[in-house]
């Protein structure tokens, strides 16, 4: 019988729950965003996040079970890390308790593997191998992907993640949390020729990123503009536009470089920032120019969700991989410590990259 997996995502400020069915796809999904709770503080308050996950997770599980017409599932996948440790413990605790009650296997999923595999839920899915650009609130990584659990990190951010730099710059511009989508919206009114922000680390070889200087550049530009009495609304929009252009072009340059260095033709984008429309548009043009193909999840699967966790968990559960009763969520967890499904447990594997291949 087709395996059905319940996915639970509680690593940050979204409670995501979904049911993935082998051979069918997503049966049901629901996401509750805690935005209103954290907006007053200008960012995620970990303890409030944990408490709200406690309130929302079980009702959302009941909801997706009812929507899919199922009484139970064949396996449970929960995000085990990286993320806020209290928030992770909620999803892990509920996931394991339900698995025990239903007598089904459970598995802890790596949040970034969830993001990375989300494009495989689309039609057509990207065939392996491919290069993945993971751009979320906490991570910016270029990964060479040979198969599930066969990851080699090609480069990552030395400081702020791309999403983090969107959020911090949005704050400087007086936009409400969460800043990324709000900044993208403001940028649409900006004059693209007004300011030019640096494209960090593009003038030297390598696939590392550094976005932390852009927020300072934005602040200085804002202060200089206000000092000479520029119209504050237009000034903010122009800065948003220049900032977005700089991040997008930097990501495009590094992705093209990664394809060239690995010899791959396919580029997969995932994580919250991959919902950004200008990024998709510019990346599509730039990758088509060199004869490559781009793949993205639909926008609702770019940001945090339970579907990607159900799907990533399914890949491992179907190979017979699951976890003992004790579980250990991890606040920090390098993606390249994962191994292919069935080879060892997700949390205990500690392979160095050269062993992965
Ligand atoms: O993957 P995600 O939902 O959560 C993490 O794992 O971090 O990513 C959230 C990040 C936030 O920084 C948010 O501002 C950013 O993704 N984001 C965007 C857009 N939508 C979400 N950034 C730019 N443009 C967007 N449209
Ligand atoms: Zn995420």
């Amino acid at each position: 019988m087709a395996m059905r997996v319940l996915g639970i995502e509680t690593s940050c400020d979204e409670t995501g729950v979904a049911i993935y069915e082998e051979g069918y796809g997503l049966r049901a999904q629901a996401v509750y965003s805690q935005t209103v709770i954290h907006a007053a503080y200008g960012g995620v308050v970990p303890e409030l996040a944990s408490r709200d996950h406690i309130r929302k997770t079980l009702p959302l599980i009941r909801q997706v079970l009812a929507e899919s017409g199922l009484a139970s599932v064949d396996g449970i996948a929960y995000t085990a890390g990286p993320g806020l440790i209290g928030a992770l413990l909620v999803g892990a605790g509920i996931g394991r308790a339900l698995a025990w009650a239903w007598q089904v296997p459970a598995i802890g999923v790596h949040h970034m593997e969830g993001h990375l595999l989300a494009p495989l839920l689309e039609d057509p899915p990207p065939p392996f191998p491919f290069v993945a650009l993971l751009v979320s609130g906490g991570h910016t990584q270029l990964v060479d992907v040979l198969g599930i659990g066969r990851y080699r990190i090609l480069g990552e951010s030395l400081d702020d993640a791309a999403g983090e730099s969107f959020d911090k710059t949005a704050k400087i511009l007086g936009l409400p949390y969460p800043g990324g989508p709000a900044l993208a919206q403001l940028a649409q009114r900006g004059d693209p020729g007004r300011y030019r922000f640096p494209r960090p680390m593009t003038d030297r070889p390598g696939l590392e990123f550094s976005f932390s200087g852009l927020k300072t550049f934005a602040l200085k530009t804002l202060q200089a503009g206000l000092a000479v009495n520029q119209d504050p609304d237009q000034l903010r929009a122009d800065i948003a536009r220049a900032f977005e252009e700089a991040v997008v072009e930097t990501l495009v340059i590094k992705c093209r470089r990664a394809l060239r260095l690995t010899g791959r033709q396919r580029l997969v984008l995932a994580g919250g920032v991959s919902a950004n429309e200008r990024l998709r548009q510019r990346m599509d043009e730039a990758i088509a120019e060199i004869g490559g193909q781009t793949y993205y999840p639909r926008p609702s699967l770019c940001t945090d969700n339970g579907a990607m966790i159900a799907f990533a968990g399914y890949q491992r559960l179907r190979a017979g991989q699951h976890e003992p009763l004790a579980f250990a969520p991890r606040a920090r967890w390098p993606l390249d410590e994962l191994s292919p499904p069935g080879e060892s447990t997700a949390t205990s594997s500690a392979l160095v990259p050269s062993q992965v291949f």
Side-chain angles (χ1 to χ4, degrees):
M1 214 179 64
M3 186 182 224
R4 291 149 177 165
V5 176
L6 172 72
I8 304 171
E9 155 60 34
T10 63
S11 69
C12 191
D13 59 346
E14 258 108 26
T15 316
V17 173
I19 296 172
Y20 176 82
E21 181 174 316
E22 176 176 27
Y24 177 87
L26 292 173
R27 285 286 296 252
Q29 53 171 325
V31 175
Y32 171 79
S33 171
Q34 302 179 348
T35 301
V36 284
I37 294 169
H38 304 294
Y41 304 92
V44 180
V45 183
E47 192 50 37
L48 295 182
S50 312
R51 284 187 214 165
D52 205 52
H53 286 308
I54 292 174
R55 280 190 285 267
K56 294 295 184 319
T57 308
L58 276 174
L60 287 183
I61 291 173
R62 279 194 203 100
Q63 184 183 323
V64 297
L65 281 171
E67 270 173 38
S68 60
L70 300 173
S72 69
V73 291
D74 309 302
I76 296 182
Y78 55 86
T79 305
L84 302 172
I85 196 70
L88 291 167
L89 276 164
V90 176
I94 291 175
R96 295 223 56 98
L98 280 178
W100 186 80
W102 287 338
Q103 292 294 296
V104 295
I107 186 143
V109 169
H110 192 294
H111 182 77
M112 297 312 290
E113 181 175 54
H115 277 303
L116 197 161
L117 298 180
L120 273 70
L121 283 163
E122 304 298 355
D123 189 20
F128 298 114
F130 54 74
V131 168
L133 173 68
L134 304 180
V135 269
S136 71
H139 294 82
T140 305
Q141 293 182 318
L142 273 164
V143 188
D144 191 22
V145 179
L146 291 184
I148 292 168
R150 299 162 70 84
Y151 311 129
R152 184 163 61 105
I153 310 276
L154 300 167
E156 54 194 330
S157 180
L158 304 177
D159 42 54
D160 291 356
E164 188 179 0
S165 80
F166 264 91
D167 295 340
K168 288 179 174 171
T169 304
K171 212 169 188 174
I172 288 168
L173 295 176
L175 297 168
Y177 159 87
L183 190 151
Q185 207 181 344
L186 179 64
Q188 285 174 10
R189 293 197 283 109
D191 173 358
R194 187 72 182 82
Y195 298 109
R196 188 182 161 83
F197 278 37
R199 275 65 171 146
M201 301 188 73
T202 53
D203 56 354
R204 66 189 96 159
L207 296 169
E208 251 63 69
F209 302 91
S210 167
F211 290 113
S212 70
L214 290 178
K215 60 177 186 288
T216 319
F217 204 89
L219 179 63
K220 293 216 166 106
T221 311
L222 179 68
Q223 287 168 339
L226 292 174
V228 295
N229 289 322
Q230 279 190 41
D231 170 46
D233 285 343
Q234 192 56 45
L235 174 64
R236 287 191 170 85
D238 292 345
I239 291 172
R241 182 66 190 257
F243 167 83
E244 187 179 52
E245 288 292 333
V247 174
V248 166
E249 202 181 319
T250 303
L251 293 174
V252 165
I253 291 169
K254 295 287 163 118
C255 284
R256 279 176 63 142
R257 195 178 285 175
L259 290 181
R260 197 177 64 238
L261 290 172
T262 55
R264 309 254 181 258
Q265 263 130 35
R266 290 178 288 271
L267 177 72
V268 164
L269 267 74
V273 181
S274 69
N276 185 279
E277 279 174 32
R278 196 168 302 280
L279 174 62
R280 287 175 176 236
Q281 191 190 329
R282 293 287 303 279
M283 195 67 84
D284 285 348
E285 290 163 8
I287 301 305
E289 246 174 54
I290 55 168
Q293 296 102 48
T294 47
Y295 297 84
Y296 312 85
R298 72 200 80 159
S300 63
L301 296 184
C302 289
T303 45
D304 289 350
N305 64 85
M308 66 185 196
I309 302 304
F311 182 67
Y314 158 74
Q315 300 295 338
R316 293 178 178 278
L317 288 167
R318 75 164 173 182
Q321 185 180 334
H322 59 88
E323 273 158 16
L325 221 51
F327 64 88
R330 294 177 63 175
R332 294 177 186 280
W333 189 1
L335 181 68
D336 51 9
E337 283 186 10
L338 296 182
S339 50
E343 281 192 12
S344 69
T345 65
T347 42
S348 64
S349 60
L351 296 179
V352 296
S354 60
Q355 284 177 294
V356 175
F357 287 90

